[in-house]
Amino acid sequence: MAQNETPIGDSGSEPEAPRIGGLPLYVWVLIAVVLALPVGWLLGVDATVAEAWPAPLRSILGAFVGALDLVPQLIIRALTAFAAPLIVLAILTAILTNDIRGRQGARMMLYYLINTLVAMVIGLSLSNLIQPGRNARFAGSSAVDGVPRLIDVLSGEPARKIDPPKPKSLRDLLTELVPKNIVQAFLENNLAQIVLVTIAVAIALALIRNAQREKGETAYKTLIDLVSVGFEVAMRVLLWIIALVPLAVFGVVATSLARQGVGLFVSLGGFIGTVLLGLGLQLCWYLLQLAVLARMSPRRFLGGASDVMATTFSTSSTAATMPITIRALMDKLKISRESSQLAACVGTNFNNDGTALYQAVAALYFAQSTGMSLTFSDQLVIMLTTLVASVGAGGIPSGSFVTMPLIFDAVRIPPANLPILLTIDWFVDRCRTTSNVLGDMTVAVLLDRDPPPKPHPGSEAKES
């Protein structure tokens, strides 16, 4: 049995995208990209043109280039600072406002865990095979044939060397799951420790809530209200930070285009192709589960989900699609109301298969762009942090972007160039949200096809 006392928003990918000045965020991002194109082209010309310029002009332009590099770093630092408290409040809100009980709820969470792990394995495998970031260059010298470009002369900063992360054994990974000090976990932004501690606290609070509810007490509602208000306050501050993200996009696109030229867009095309291929393979995994475990053909499932896919892709919101999802499950696929509502209403708060795949590909993309070689244990760290981040990302606007700095920090991948992904996120987000909703529908079908629990031995004799 599952109840949803207070809906906390869309969680298939992210809640509805924030609007700035009445326009969606992606519109401002596209405007920033258009404005950054000529700036990047000018900064990427042969540096010899600056030899005849007066010193004051070169100083002013040097300060401008410095600002282009600094603003993205400041915005990413602000997002990183708020990511941990946001994840904590999002997890507390999700668990306390959803009452998941019984074997059906446990099976639902198991299905979601397996699907998320499969999504991350697909994403990491494809990234290692295709290596979409091998030709990307976001920092360092951009000299061509030994002749530096204007941005190198104006910035006057040598390329920063990135120390590779220290390899971790499986024992290290398991040991680091348990914090030595809870405060230290927050100070170090250790995502795995923060999430596990928060889940433990949330489950304890949920048990207290259930006990008070059975006694007819209502004190737990005050706690839920406090957590919900705290979450809303944190999200309001987050939206203020997100409103500055187009400035970060402008800086990253301009400097990256100056250093890399059109190769920037080629590498982003490879990133998009890797993500889309991964989402396609994830869909094949859903269809395989349905065929083997539920005896449902791909044609029947995709036919029943056609309206859901069209609506999700156009709105990029699982919340807006939820009524259509439930109707398609019940009317077209003949799934029970209980299973449909459990997966579509409650389950979507915890299902982020597409987001997990996207974040795994992004981590390796930026590692490859900086020349880092991540070991198998490093990629296990990425899987672990991505898995725990997906638990809290569901209720956060632009959740995949907010939690990625913490994922990158776990393996020391520089996060300063993350805003470059927002140039293509308006499209990729629609694809991964559609994949997430199809995952919700898959789990609903599997829950409905699970055999009922076997009666306890001797129960029939007692009844007779």
Side-chain angles (χ1 to χ4, degrees):
M1 185 66 181
Q3 297 177 344
N4 184 261
E5 298 180 4
T6 308
I8 64 171
D10 159 30
S11 60
S13 162
E14 292 103 26
E16 183 179 353
R19 303 177 72 89
I20 305 170
L23 294 177
L25 176 64
Y26 74 87
V27 173
W28 288 104
V29 168
L30 294 177
I31 293 174
V33 172
V34 171
L35 296 177
L37 292 179
V39 176
W41 178 79
L42 290 173
L43 292 176
V45 299
D46 190 331
T48 56
V49 300
E51 293 178 355
W53 293 354
L57 177 60
R58 295 179 62 175
S59 299
I60 293 174
L61 292 177
F64 174 69
V65 171
L68 291 180
D69 282 324
L70 179 61
V71 169
Q73 296 181 36
L74 294 178
I75 293 176
I76 291 297
R77 284 175 66 92
L79 286 174
T80 304
F82 270 87
L86 270 169
I87 289 174
V88 169
L89 292 169
I91 293 174
L92 290 174
T93 304
I95 293 180
L96 291 179
T97 58
N98 292 288
D99 189 5
I100 304 175
R101 300 183 183 184
R103 293 181 58 184
Q104 191 178 37
R107 288 197 300 269
M108 179 191 68
M109 300 306 295
L110 178 61
Y111 283 134
Y112 283 141
L113 174 62
I114 293 174
N115 288 344
T116 302
L117 289 174
V118 169
M120 288 187 292
V121 169
I122 291 174
L124 292 174
S125 300
L126 289 177
S127 297
N128 283 296
L129 180 64
I130 301 174
Q131 296 189 356
R134 67 184 183 278
N135 294 322
R137 182 175 62 241
F138 297 113
S141 175
S142 55
V144 179
D145 296 330
V147 180
R149 295 184 180 180
L150 181 59
I151 188 173
D152 297 320
V153 175
L154 294 177
S155 62
E157 293 184 3
R160 292 186 296 269
K161 183 179 179 181
I162 300 170
D163 296 328
K166 296 180 180 179
K168 297 181 180 180
S169 64
L170 179 60
R171 179 174 180 176
D172 293 334
L173 296 178
L174 295 177
T175 301
E176 290 183 1
L177 289 177
V178 181
K180 295 180 180 179
N181 186 301
I182 295 179
V183 176
Q184 184 180 4
F186 283 88
L187 292 176
E188 296 179 353
N189 270 338
N190 190 311
L191 188 57
Q193 295 179 358
I194 291 172
V195 170
L196 290 178
V197 170
T198 304
I199 290 177
V201 173
I203 292 175
L205 291 175
L207 294 175
I208 295 174
R209 174 203 62 192
N210 296 340
Q212 291 186 350
R213 183 184 296 162
E214 291 176 358
K215 296 177 182 179
E217 301 175 358
T218 60
Y220 69 92
K221 293 184 178 180
T222 302
L223 175 62
I224 293 177
D225 290 340
L226 288 174
V227 172
S228 299
V229 170
F231 184 47
E232 292 296 329
V233 170
M235 282 205 303
R236 183 67 59 88
V237 177
L238 171 68
L239 293 178
W240 293 343
I241 300 174
I242 291 178
L244 301 175
V245 163
L247 296 177
V249 173
F250 175 82
V252 171
V253 171
T255 55
S256 299
L257 187 62
R259 293 186 171 104
Q260 193 173 351
V262 294
L264 167 66
F265 301 103
V266 174
S267 68
L268 286 176
F271 174 82
I272 294 175
T274 304
V275 173
L276 294 184
L277 179 58
L279 293 177
L281 293 177
Q282 184 72 5
L283 174 59
C284 293
W285 166 250
Y286 295 150
L287 298 178
L288 178 63
Q289 285 181 296
L290 293 171
V292 174
L293 301 178
R295 299 293 189 269
M296 179 176 289
S297 68
R299 176 179 295 182
R300 182 187 172 192
F301 177 76
L302 294 177
S306 58
D307 292 341
V308 177
M309 289 188 289
T311 305
T312 305
F313 189 83
S314 62
T315 62
S316 186
S317 170
T318 53
T321 314
M322 192 176 296
I324 300 174
T325 303
I326 296 176
R327 185 164 60 246
L329 285 169
M330 295 176 59
D331 297 343
K332 295 184 177 182
L333 299 180
K334 306 304 179 183
I335 305 302
S336 68
R337 177 183 295 274
E338 181 182 8
S339 297
S340 300
Q341 292 183 341
L342 180 63
C345 298
V346 179
T348 51
N349 289 323
F350 304 96
N351 176 43
N352 290 278
D353 301 345
T355 300
L357 188 150
Y358 171 79
Q359 291 178 324
V361 175
L364 262 67
Y365 172 77
F366 282 102
Q368 293 162 2
S369 72
T370 55
M372 296 176 62
S373 179
L374 298 180
T375 64
F376 178 74
S377 61
D378 295 328
Q379 297 187 40
L380 283 180
V381 174
I382 292 175
M383 286 187 62
L384 177 63
T385 52
T386 301
L387 177 64
V388 296
S390 67
V391 177
I396 301 174
S398 301
S400 63
F401 181 74
V402 172
T403 57
M404 267 199 286
L406 296 183
I407 297 173
F408 283 23
D409 186 62
V411 287
R412 299 178 65 182
I413 299 175
N417 294 302
L418 265 177
I420 199 72
L421 293 185
L422 291 178
T423 60
I424 46 92
D425 192 68
W426 61 274
F427 170 72
V428 179
D429 180 49
R430 297 171 187 273
C431 299
R432 66 175 183 258
T433 304
T434 302
S435 174
N436 288 339
V437 173
L438 290 176
D440 295 336
M441 295 184 68
T442 299
V443 171
V445 175
L446 295 177
L447 289 176
D448 209 52
R449 296 296 188 268
D450 279 340
K454 296 181 180 180
H456 190 274
S459 59
E460 296 181 358
K462 291 180 180 179
E463 291 178 359
S464 61

